[in-house]
Amino acid sequence: MAAVQLGLIGYGVNQAGSGARAAARVASQGGDPDAAARSAVSGWLDPSVSLGGGPGSDVTTATVRVTVPNVIPLFDRYAITRRATMPTDD
């Protein structure tokens, strides 16, 4: 069970990073970062996106948070946050 839990956490880290990169890239070009993150992350992880920078700034930063479910009943769900920064297109 512990190996499965660690595998899910590793998968969550990978997915959060992918979502953050997609959201930052799309937001830096003036698109919808929430839609980009949701399309890059497995739906069952329910990603949430927050942005920094953006119009008028040299960089756009996206932070994506996903929550990995627990498979071991004694532990709580595990939240993972990843951040990516892209140069803002003018």
Side-chain angles (χ1 to χ4, degrees):
M1 294 293 275
V4 170
Q5 186 68 61
L6 288 174
L8 284 173
I9 291 171
Y11 182 72
V13 167
N14 179 291
Q15 291 289 287
S18 294
R21 285 188 301 278
R25 181 176 49 253
V26 168
S28 73
Q29 298 171 351
D32 183 2
D34 191 55
R38 289 194 179 280
S39 68
V41 176
S42 294
W44 59 271
L45 290 171
D46 192 29
S48 65
V49 180
S50 61
L51 291 178
S57 175
D58 291 339
V59 296
T60 300
T61 300
T63 303
V64 172
R65 179 184 172 130
V66 299
T67 304
V68 176
N70 62 327
V71 294
I72 301 173
L74 300 175
F75 297 105
D76 290 331
R77 296 167 53 97
Y78 191 78
I80 298 169
T81 303
R82 288 292 175 260
R83 179 176 298 136
T85 302
M86 298 282 177
T88 302
D89 290 347
D90 290 333

